[in-house]
Amino acid sequence: MSETAVPGASYAAAGVDIEAGDRAVELMKEWVKKTQRPEVLGGLGGFAGLFDASALKRYERPLLASATDGVGTKVDIARQLGVYDTIGHDLVAMVMDDIVVCGAEPLFMTDYICVGKVHPERVAAIVKGIAEGCVLAGCALVGGETAEHPGLLGPDDFDVAGAGTGVVEADRLLGADRIRKGDAVVAMAASGLHSNGYSLVRHVLLNQAGLSLDAQIEELGRTLGEELLEPTKIYSLDCLALTRTTDVHAFSHITGGGLAANLARVVPDTLHAVVDRSTWTPAPVFDLVGRTGQVERLELEKTLNMGVGMIAIVPEESTDVALSTLADRGVEAWVAGEITDRGDHTTGAELVGDYAG
């Protein structure tokens, strides 16, 4: 037997640093605390987040709405730039703006952060962004998980995902059955690319064109990296405000698949949504992607939001109140189309005309 001792295997030797994980939890606590609602019980660190369901007794027939999502390859832009405190806004938007589509109030959210190596300050910055997003959505961040996967992910690689829950009164549930012929399609402006289509965007701008994230792009008025990391607009509280001031029939969150495909998801089989492109001008970044990659307009439109992040379908007579409500909340919005009979159309929504400008 050799006199030279062979060190035994350990979790740390395998690449997992438990102490770094504990440090990350301590750093994120102050941000999670900012999201707390009165219904949340306990603090960070338990095995499960607790939410007092007795708060739902005020509902006659409460329906719970749930959603889960991630941010996609936008996280790679954050990694390359070393900016981690905005990607959480994207995560909350992708989850909670799906939930509010049915008219549900966001209640709470959990997150999952997977990293190749735990850098406590980096993880805390990600959670900071998620917590800030939860505040904007009006929900609590009740828990989460940070998983370290050495060997599977590189030391600087990471991904994020989340799940959320909301509640809506059964007789206030929004959707296709409320939509009527003559309803107006109200568009809410996007803050930028949001969090969809980044595989195309990265392929065109970074791989094909070879642009640097640090490059100052004149038409954007800032660097490419700053544009690509612009956080996704969170519409949850804006949509809920509309439900209090107008008779909203439906919402549509414009994410993967583009405006027409997502709008069609909430239009009944007998009706058709017509959206007029001439009612708005997409932000310069959309033209940059299309022109640089010679991407056809229809391909862009089924991949990117083209400047519209959320749609509200309201009675035609309610448009003034709807637009006023959104303007008071600082949301740029306009009437972009209307609901008509389905006729010979094979899909529930279409874009017509040419973009303004």
Side-chain angles (χ1 to χ4, degrees), residues 4 15 50 63 76 81 83 130 187 231 236 245 273 277 302 306 317 321 327 344:
T4 303
L50 298 175
L63 302 180
D76 192 55
L81 290 174
V83 176
I130 297 172
S236 301
T245 62
R277 297 184 183 95
K302 73 178 185 181
M306 299 307 291
E317 64 271 17
V321 175
D344 295 330

Side-chain angles (χ1 to χ4, degrees), residues 1-348:
M1 180 176 180
S2 171
E3 295 181 359
T4 303
V6 178
S10 68
Y11 215 11
V16 177
D17 190 338
I18 295 177
E19 287 74 20
D22 292 340
R23 170 64 177 158
V25 172
E26 287 301 315
L27 291 174
M28 69 178 70
K29 280 183 176 179
E30 65 171 300
W31 299 108
V32 175
K33 186 176 181 181
K34 295 178 186 295
T35 75
Q36 297 303 285
R37 292 172 48 124
E39 303 94 339
V40 175
L41 303 178
L44 192 66
F47 285 94
L50 298 175
F51 190 91
D52 186 355
S54 67
L56 306 184
K57 289 181 179 179
R58 61 187 174 91
Y59 290 84
E60 290 293 325
R61 185 187 170 201
L63 302 180
L64 294 180
S66 66
T68 186
D69 211 337
V71 178
T73 60
K74 188 173 183 176
V75 298
D76 192 55
I77 306 298
R79 179 192 63 79
Q80 290 186 58
L81 290 174
V83 176
Y84 304 100
D85 62 350
T86 63
I87 208 77
H89 287 236
D90 299 289
L91 180 62
V92 175
M94 300 307 289
V95 173
M96 288 306 178
D97 283 349
D98 274 357
I99 284 176
V100 82
V101 161
C102 68
E105 174 194 355
L107 295 177
F108 58 84
M109 183 170 174
T110 57
D111 64 59
Y112 177 79
I113 303 171
C114 183
V115 300
K117 178 178 176 59
V118 172
H119 300 281
E121 289 75 17
R122 182 180 302 174
V123 172
I126 295 171
V127 174
K128 171 180 178 287
I130 297 172
E132 290 173 339
C134 284
V135 171
L136 293 174
C139 66
L141 181 59
V142 297
E145 171 72 9
T146 300
E148 192 171 23
H149 290 172
L152 183 62
L153 298 175
D156 293 327
D157 292 337
F158 75 98
D159 199 5
V160 295
T165 299
V167 62
V168 60
E169 189 69 74
D171 63 7
R172 297 295 299 164
L173 184 68
L174 304 182
D177 61 322
R178 290 179 177 263
I179 298 177
R180 299 290 181 267
K181 179 181 177 180
D183 282 353
V185 175
V186 175
M188 298 178 223
S191 57
L193 293 168
H194 284 186
S195 299
N196 294 104
Y198 271 73
S199 293
L200 173 64
V201 172
R202 291 166 54 249
H203 174 68
V204 167
L205 300 183
L206 304 184
N207 298 338
Q208 286 190 337
L211 295 176
S212 167
L213 292 174
D214 295 327
Q216 189 74 32
I217 308 298
E218 183 177 355
E219 61 198 283
L220 302 180
R222 54 180 170 176
T223 67
L224 179 61
E226 289 170 334
E227 180 70 33
L228 299 188
L229 268 194
E230 179 67 35
T232 305
K233 168 73 175 170
I234 297 174
Y235 301 94
S236 301
L237 297 184
D238 305 315
C239 290
L240 292 178
L242 276 185
T243 66
R244 293 190 293 269
T245 62
T246 66
D247 182 24
V248 179
H249 289 168
F251 289 114
S252 177
H253 187 197
I254 311 306
T255 56
L259 200 164
N262 281 284
L263 182 53
R265 293 168 66 181
V266 300
V267 176
D269 293 340
T270 58
L271 298 176
H272 184 67
V274 180
V275 177
D276 186 354
R277 297 184 183 95
S278 70
T279 60
W280 83 97
T281 303
V285 67
F286 298 101
D287 180 65
L288 177 66
V289 175
R291 188 182 69 253
T292 303
Q294 296 182 318
V295 185
E296 295 183 359
R297 185 170 72 179
L298 291 180
E299 181 68 20
L300 279 179
E301 290 177 339
K302 73 178 185 181
T303 307
L304 307 177
N305 67 57
M306 299 307 291
V308 178
M310 181 71 77
I311 290 287
I313 299 177
V314 304
E316 191 278 333
E317 64 271 17
S318 298
T319 55
D320 287 345
V321 175
L323 294 176
S324 176
T325 297
L326 293 171
D328 289 344
R329 298 184 59 81
V331 179
E332 180 186 356
W334 64 94
V335 176
E338 64 176 338
I339 303 297
T340 66
D341 286 324
R342 177 66 64 97
D344 295 330
H345 297 286
T346 58
T347 60

